[in-house]
Amino acid sequence: MNNRHFWAQKICAAITAAEGGPSEYDLAEAPVLNYWRPHITRHGAPILWGMVSKHPMVEKGWITTSQLVAIDANRRWARTASRWHVLAQPFSVYEARVAKDFGMDEAPSGFVRVDLPGYRPLDDLLLLDELLAIWRDRMAFELKGED
């Protein structure tokens, strides 16, 4: 089994887990992602970027997650290829806080710009849902093609 096949299997397992949604235990044990923002890699893979805490392998700080397979911003969870994440405040809250520090009533779109080489921010959650559906289909197709 090559790395690509292993990763596709991992993503398919995460997709299956996401279809059922997280349990209370899953979320209690999950890292918390604060000031999170979806991004798309140059290969079209959706990920999340944000300030993590409670991560089993990373100290508190800014991270990019593994590939995102599902997100429910209203219920405050996300599933990546690696694990569940609890979603705290979105990046827009951070932008608003910075704008307020500058004496502004509100933050214009894109007020705080963070460049992550190889990634593009995606603040439209409806578009993200569409891209996630396409991404999940692509991963399932790639896994079938390698059997």
Side-chain angles (χ1 to χ4, degrees):
M1 177 184 322
N2 63 34
N3 259 355
R4 186 177 176 100
H5 185 72
F6 173 77
W7 195 247
Q9 282 187 319
K10 188 172 178 101
I11 290 171
C12 285
I15 290 168
T16 300
E19 288 170 353
S23 68
E24 287 182 31
Y25 177 80
D26 291 331
L27 295 180
E29 295 297 311
V32 175
L33 201 56
N34 203 18
Y35 303 135
W36 58 273
R37 184 181 217 178
H39 281 72
I40 302 296
T41 70
R42 67 178 187 258
H43 302 293
I47 58 102
L48 291 175
W49 169 79
M51 172 85 60
V52 74
S53 59
K54 284 185 50 184
H55 195 285
M57 302 177 72
V58 178
E59 289 191 34
K60 185 176 182 175
W62 294 96
I63 65 161
T64 56
T65 66
S66 59
Q67 294 170 1
L68 181 65
V69 297
I71 186 169
D72 189 330
N74 293 327
R75 293 180 52 212
R76 300 175 47 158
W77 62 260
R79 176 64 198 208
T80 65
S82 306
R83 61 187 38 86
W84 295 101
H85 291 270
V86 172
L87 300 176
Q89 297 179 33
F91 189 71
S92 59
V93 171
Y94 178 77
E95 282 185 307
R97 193 179 85 202
V98 172
K100 184 176 180 182
D101 289 347
F102 279 99
M104 302 168 70
D105 291 333
E106 61 183 65
S109 178
F111 176 66
V112 176
R113 188 174 171 129
V114 177
D115 291 324
L116 301 173
Y119 301 91
R120 296 194 73 135
L122 178 64
D123 294 323
D124 183 338
L125 293 181
L126 293 176
L127 179 57
L128 177 63
D129 283 341
E130 290 176 30
L131 292 173
L132 281 170
I134 293 166
W135 183 253
R136 288 189 298 261
D137 289 346
R138 179 177 163 193
M139 289 295 100
F141 177 78
E142 285 187 21
L143 185 59
K144 280 185 179 179
E146 294 186 13
D147 285 341

